[in-house]
Amino acid sequence: MSILSLEGVRVIDLTQAWAGTFATCILADMGAEIIKIEARNRPDMWRGPIAPEMAAVSPHGYPGGEPGQRPYNRSSLFHGVNRNKRGITLDLAATEGIAIFKELVKIGDVVAENFTPRVMSNFGLDYAALREINPAIIMLSMPAYGTTGPYKDCRGVGGSVEPMSGMSSMMGYADGPPMNHGAMYPDPVAGMMAASALLIALYHQRRTGVGQFIDLSQQETTMLMLGEALMDYSMNKRVRKRQGNHHQFMAPHQNYRCRGEDDWIAISVSSDEEWRQLLKVMGEPAWARDEKFATNIARLDNEAELNRYLEEWTINNDKYDLMHRLQQNGVPAGSVLRTSEVVDDPHLEARGYIEELHYDDIGKYKTPGLAWKMSATPGRIWRTAPGLGQDSESVLTELLGITRAEYEKLVKNKITGEEPIEP
Amino acid sequence: METGNDNGSMPMNVTETALDSIEVLDLTHYLAGPFCTKLFADFGADVVKVEKPGEGDGARRLGPFPDDEPHPEASGLFLYLNTNKRSMTLNLKTGTGRRIIKQLVRSADVVVENFRPGVMDSLGLGWDTLSSINPRLVMTSISNFGQTGPYRDYKASDLIHYGLSGFSYLNGDGVGEPLKGPSSQSQYHAGMLGFIATMCAIMARRATGEGQYVDVSILEAVCAIIQPTILRAVMTGSPSRRASVPRAYPSDFFQCKDGHIYLYAPREPDWTHLVTALGLNPELANDPRFSTGHLRSQNAGQVRELLTPQLMNRDRETIFNELKDWGVVSGMVLNTEDLFRSEHLNERGFFVDVEHEHTGKLRYPGAPFRMTETPWRVRSPAPTLGQHNYEILHAKLGYTQNEIVRWRQAGII
């Protein structure tokens, strides 16, 4: 019996960078066949530069810091969201490329793209055109601000959409400027929501044979993560401000320094019972007997002083050791891990969330795997991200009946192939 | 068909929903679980929300409230998350309560719960029991750390999820403490992932005829959100520590006349266009201190000195529009007031009016995405506590008025 819930679903994937690629990666992890299409002269921007000298100063993250001969197949960011996909190249600026694309649409369930709005129309591949080819096709467009409205042609990146969503106005230190998350946050949020949208459309399509067009705005998706703040304005015309890690109802609620250069622990106390347990672990310090810390309201009023006292204690402790001691005594606490430490966490390893994968031309690395456990159709990682154009021949010959000779000719004419072309 | 459902409200002739054949028995509370079941409800599924008699879902106590006056029927978080759902009250610790759940499970497609691991089993409502009643059932459990593993019984909060996932480490200025995001982002991530995995199980069932058990961990959901960032840290051996100045510059916030704006011009031709758009001498773009994104990062202070005067005499909208004409990416820092007033969002019809018996009409955030055939829709506002008890217990399950009255007296509903 198949372990793949989305077996038989085929996605023609034009997405790039992070947002759309994460959506199709989730579907790929669940067993859908993702045919990722790139251009030889404009590969997915998350592959990074083609030339090794340019790659050396790019942020795409090469294993051991080494771009290697083919840095575009070694970008760690690219590997992070493109596993389980089949990768082909097609020149969509050429009539032959468009013709092949349309043949793929005929046998596809979904066309996914996150270009700026005019791109697909310029190719003659808007939803109306795709629907002519395949009435059951589902098309997903996910530009920064949606496909309608005054900002529809505005380019955006995660870092620019985050402030436009309201998120940045509420993120940062209490007396400081607005901030973004340290990763381009709206991208994966939109990606997760886009996967949800595709599943709704696929379920409908399987039952009725009817496809449809989906417009997803990264700005709007990110706004939905701020529901309470929006409702507060709607109800009370109140604008929420930045407050660092302060919580409206909980104190202590902060990241405290631990032993080490940049090691911290998160402690958040939500009841008097948890407060008493915290004091027990701390050895019943004298300062805590003060009225100032006796109730939750008092602790909120005296939060700055409370945090100072707490940090004087945490700074002498190891962040992991302290987390376990506190949790074993019923106090919510969690180490603030470096992104590199997450794959070594014993809980995530025991969960089977961390998988050690072999990457071609790279080697073996622990990898964040499948973020769900399903008893019948858990999904799996069957391969790491494709090299540029790696599956062009197999996809075109297997799925479209193109002969080997015809394929060689297409490569010669630069319609497809595995070698990048300088733009 | 045109893509422009420009006013966001439902066109008169499209009443179809995608998920109306799906019945969800919703035992969730607070945020993650309810956000998962909101996605079901808003796209047409029949979601029956089971709440504790008397108190209901804890989100009813969290607010925000109109004029800050707490009322269990006026909590902004609850109202937002529970559109389109029906509410019944049921005490799951009673024999009757559990019997009713089992009856509802017989016809349900999905059960979603977000209790601490072990609670459902202790109630006699675990996966083994429910699946034997209904082999087609998909049961989804959302919990802090999952149903297994050494941290299974650990307590958590959004701050802790941000910490253990490696996300906090990326946020902040590198001087002060690492930061979590606003509100409770991790809860939303888990809600979305719960929805995704449940829908995949429903898709699988079309082929197999059988249901399955879905176990979603909030911690893993947050890790998934930054999955490529984690892999980069592992492969490069470098953990991407938060920094006050980004490596390619500018990709940062700047003050302007009426607030702040995020400027993104780490590469050419954007940097030259930015300099020109702000009325500065384009030659400055070629100054050796500023000639690459990397160099600009190293000389960030000087870049700021250069740009700030030109930004301080322009408002956000002017800068945004001028840069847009040059094809340079920027983002205005908008607060919630700005968002409600946004011409773009209003033309798209993003906000919807929802009428509720306790709050009257309020504007809510609307559709997560637009679908041409099966659009998002608010058919009914969030339910009042136990609003549908009679409808479900009598009309659906056949219990008599007498029984229902007795149960209410006994605190069973």
Side-chain angles (χ1 to χ4, degrees):
Chain A
M1 191 91 82
S2 173
I3 57 160
L4 305 174
S5 50
L6 299 184
E7 190 154 57
V9 172
R10 182 177 286 132
V11 178
I12 312 304
D13 183 7
L14 292 164
T15 64
Q16 295 217 354
W18 195 354
T21 54
F22 183 43
T24 54
C25 182
I26 291 172
L27 266 49
D29 287 352
M30 291 288 196
E33 179 185 15
I34 311 296
I35 299 175
K36 182 184 177 78
I37 301 177
E38 300 175 75
R40 284 175 65 182
N41 62 349
R42 283 190 78 164
D44 184 323
M45 64 191 81
W46 259 29
R47 286 187 183 273
I50 292 171
E53 326 81 69
M54 299 298 300
V57 290
S58 82
H60 296 84
Y62 302 97
E66 269 301 314
Q69 288 263 17
R70 294 169 184 269
Y72 53 89
N73 288 340
R74 290 165 52 82
S75 152
S76 59
L77 289 182
F78 184 82
H79 275 288
V81 283
N82 289 287
R83 67 214 186 183
N84 287 333
K85 300 179 189 176
R86 303 179 81 180
I88 76 171
T89 50
L90 272 185
D91 181 5
L92 293 181
T95 23
E96 275 176 287
I98 295 278
I100 292 172
F101 181 82
K102 288 180 175 177
E103 290 300 306
L104 288 170
V105 171
K106 261 191 215 155
I107 57 169
D109 293 297
V110 175
V111 171
E113 59 97 3
N114 62 342
F115 293 125
T116 44
R118 275 187 249 128
V119 173
M120 291 301 275
S121 309
N122 289 345
F123 282 138
L125 297 173
D126 62 7
Y127 176 59
L130 297 183
R131 205 174 33 154
E132 284 288 305
I133 299 165
N134 179 354
I137 200 76
I138 295 160
M139 181 178 185
L140 165 72
S141 291
M142 45 189 298
Y145 302 102
T147 66
T148 61
Y151 293 163
K152 71 176 185 337
D153 295 317
C154 281
R155 286 175 55 220
V157 294
S160 73
V161 172
E162 194 165 348
M164 297 284 278
S165 74
M167 185 78 59
S168 315
S169 71
M170 289 181 256
M171 182 151 186
Y173 305 100
D175 47 4
M179 297 188 85
N180 279 341
H181 281 83
M184 296 272 190
Y185 184 53
D187 282 44
V189 166
M192 249 195 208
M193 197 58 96
S196 306
L198 286 174
L199 287 165
I200 294 172
L202 280 164
Y203 180 74
H204 184 72
Q205 187 234 48
R206 287 307 200 244
R207 295 180 71 235
T208 64
V210 174
Q212 59 188 305
F213 177 78
I214 305 171
D215 160 330
L216 186 149
S217 149
Q218 295 178 33
Q219 177 195 31
E220 288 166 8
T221 326
T222 311
M223 284 174 69
L224 291 175
M225 309 290 104
L226 297 169
E228 314 94 284
L230 289 168
M231 294 304 288
D232 202 6
Y233 185 80
S234 185
M235 291 175 162
N236 298 314
K237 302 289 177 282
R238 181 164 47 206
V239 170
R240 292 199 174 178
K241 303 264 145 82
R242 295 182 274 294
Q243 49 177 25
N245 288 327
H246 168 80
H247 192 282
Q248 193 185 355
F249 301 129
M250 293 195 250
H253 182 278
Q254 184 53 282
N255 288 327
Y256 301 97
R257 274 193 190 280
C258 289
R259 205 188 304 138
E261 271 198 33
D262 187 21
D263 297 89
W264 306 72
I265 190 167
I267 298 176
S268 63
V269 164
S270 64
S271 69
D272 286 334
E273 167 71 34
E274 287 170 6
W275 171 246
R276 280 192 293 274
Q277 290 299 112
L278 171 61
L279 294 185
K280 182 170 146 237
V281 177
M282 291 179 77
E284 308 292 349
W287 61 262
R289 284 184 229 133
D290 193 320
E291 280 298 294
K292 276 193 244 185
F293 308 115
T295 65
N296 191 44
I297 305 245
R299 291 191 286 278
L300 281 162
D301 281 340
N302 295 289
E303 196 175 14
E305 199 178 341
L306 172 66
N307 286 340
R308 274 198 301 276
Y309 278 124
L310 271 169
E311 196 160 80
E312 278 168 20
W313 173 67
T314 60
I315 197 128
N316 295 313
N317 285 280
D318 172 83
K319 72 183 185 223
Y320 251 128
D321 187 64
L322 191 53
M323 166 175 79
H324 296 308
R325 264 200 292 147
L326 286 167
Q327 287 281 6
Q328 274 145 28
N329 283 280
V331 181
S335 318
V336 175
L337 297 183
R338 291 173 177 69
T339 29
S340 47
E341 291 172 329
V342 174
V343 295
D344 293 320
D345 177 85
H347 175 78
L348 292 174
E349 285 196 328
R351 286 277 290 166
Y353 174 65
I354 308 298
E355 295 193 41
E356 190 155 29
L357 300 176
H358 174 80
Y359 294 84
D360 283 342
D361 205 23
I362 288 175
K364 262 202 194 157
Y365 282 97
K366 287 183 173 180
T367 302
L370 306 179
W372 51 79
K373 301 267 170 288
M374 293 169 70
S375 59
T377 58
R380 80 294 172 252
I381 297 180
W382 65 278
R383 61 117 63 132
T384 56
L388 180 66
Q390 178 178 345
D391 305 295
S392 302
E393 184 173 357
S394 56
V395 167
L396 296 184
T397 55
E398 275 168 34
L399 296 186
L400 300 184
I402 288 173
T403 67
R404 188 112 210 284
E406 284 165 340
Y407 174 75
E408 299 292 339
K409 194 154 151 254
L410 288 167
V411 173
K412 209 154 137 250
N413 293 334
K414 303 201 172 147
I415 306 299
T416 185
E418 287 183 60
E419 293 299 318
I421 297 172
E422 285 294 340
Chain B
M1 192 189 296
E2 280 304 339
T3 66
N5 240 347
D6 281 75
N7 63 358
S9 62
M10 245 214 0
M12 292 316 268
N13 59 335
V14 180
T15 51
E16 193 155 20
T17 69
L19 307 182
D20 55 359
S21 61
I22 297 178
E23 263 184 51
V24 179
L25 183 56
D26 179 4
L27 305 177
T28 69
H29 60 279
Y30 178 42
L31 211 166
F35 191 64
C36 167
T37 55
K38 176 182 167 72
L39 285 166
F40 277 104
D42 287 356
F43 284 95
D46 172 16
V47 176
V48 170
K49 182 184 177 75
V50 177
E51 301 189 67
K52 212 167 175 186
E55 313 170 23
D57 182 335
R60 290 177 180 276
R61 291 191 291 284
L62 292 177
F65 301 102
D67 300 321
D68 293 334
E69 283 168 17
H71 189 291
E73 303 299 350
S75 161
L77 180 65
F78 184 85
L79 293 172
Y80 167 60
L81 292 172
N82 294 284
T83 45
N84 293 317
K85 299 176 192 174
R86 295 195 282 167
S87 166
M88 68 176 287
T89 48
L90 207 53
N91 185 340
L92 300 182
K93 293 187 179 157
T94 63
T96 306
R98 289 194 284 266
R99 178 168 42 113
I100 291 170
I101 292 287
K102 289 177 184 176
Q103 281 182 288
L104 290 168
V105 162
R106 270 192 228 132
S107 63
D109 294 286
V110 177
V111 167
V112 190
E113 63 95 6
N114 65 337
F115 295 116
R116 281 176 295 112
V119 168
M120 288 294 278
D121 281 327
S122 72
L123 292 171
L125 298 173
W127 166 242
D128 290 337
T129 306
L130 299 187
S131 61
S132 64
I133 294 169
N134 179 355
R136 289 177 55 80
L137 184 73
V138 174
M139 178 174 177
T140 296
S141 295
I142 301 174
S143 62
N144 286 325
F145 298 102
Q147 302 294 314
T148 58
Y151 303 170
R152 187 190 99 133
D153 298 321
Y154 277 11
K155 293 178 168 189
S157 61
D158 193 50
L159 183 70
I160 288 166
H161 285 124
Y162 259 83
L164 283 168
S165 61
F167 208 177
S168 279
Y169 192 81
L170 304 174
N171 307 328
D173 62 4
V175 176
E177 65 275 14
L179 292 174
K180 74 180 232 10
S183 173
S184 300
Q185 299 304 298
S186 60
Q187 295 278 323
Y188 286 103
H189 306 155
M192 284 190 281
L193 210 51
F195 178 77
I196 287 166
T198 307
M199 281 301 293
C200 283
I202 290 171
M203 292 288 281
R205 189 179 66 178
R206 291 178 54 80
T208 65
E210 286 175 9
Q212 63 185 301
Y213 184 66
V214 177
D215 164 6
V216 168
S217 140
I218 299 175
L219 174 60
E220 288 162 25
V222 185
C223 291
I225 286 280
I226 53 167
Q227 161 181 316
T229 319
I230 292 174
L231 188 62
R232 180 174 61 184
V234 172
M235 282 189 169
T236 60
S238 164
S240 333
R241 187 183 185 277
R242 63 210 177 280
S244 43
V245 179
R247 260 198 310 184
Y249 209 75
S251 51
D252 204 355
F253 292 95
F254 292 80
Q255 211 174 344
C256 54
K257 195 202 286 185
D258 64 343
H260 289 83
I261 190 158
Y262 177 89
L263 300 179
Y264 186 76
R267 282 178 290 276
E268 291 298 1
D270 297 323
W271 169 246
T272 303
H273 289 330
L274 170 66
V275 163
T276 313
L278 292 179
L280 292 163
N281 185 346
E283 277 306 301
L284 282 168
N286 295 325
D287 185 310
R289 289 170 296 163
F290 307 141
S291 59
T292 68
H294 207 50
L295 281 166
R296 289 191 290 274
S297 173
Q298 289 171 347
N299 297 307
Q302 293 171 61
V303 173
R304 257 186 203 279
E305 269 173 34
L306 180 72
L307 299 179
T308 296
Q310 306 303 106
L311 296 167
M312 288 304 283
N313 63 20
R314 288 170 169 79
D315 62 39
R316 297 170 297 178
E317 194 130 17
T318 305
I319 301 168
F320 181 74
N321 288 324
E322 277 175 3
L323 292 177
K324 183 160 76 99
D325 289 339
W326 281 96
V328 177
V329 170
S330 74
M332 300 180 276
V333 175
L334 302 177
N335 61 28
T336 46
E337 178 165 52
D338 298 324
L339 292 171
F340 274 97
R341 290 189 182 174
S342 159
E343 192 195 331
H344 173 73
L345 291 168
N346 282 299
E347 258 196 51
R348 272 180 64 81
F350 176 70
F351 297 104
V352 296
D353 286 328
V354 181
E355 182 86 48
H356 187 279
E357 62 184 89
H358 276 269
T359 62
K361 197 195 304 198
L362 283 172
R363 293 176 84 201
Y364 285 44
F369 37 84
R370 317 293 163 97
M371 303 180 79
T372 47
E373 292 291 321
T374 57
W376 183 92
R377 195 156 75 96
V378 175
R379 293 162 288 135
S380 57
T384 56
L385 183 63
Q387 179 178 346
H388 301 90
N389 277 353
Y390 192 72
E391 197 174 293
I392 294 163
L393 293 169
H394 177 71
K396 186 182 167 85
L397 296 180
Y399 289 106
T400 65
Q401 188 119 297
N402 255 340
E403 284 168 309
I404 294 169
V405 167
R406 266 194 299 124
W407 288 339
R408 179 158 304 135
Q409 286 168 343
I412 293 172
I413 65 170

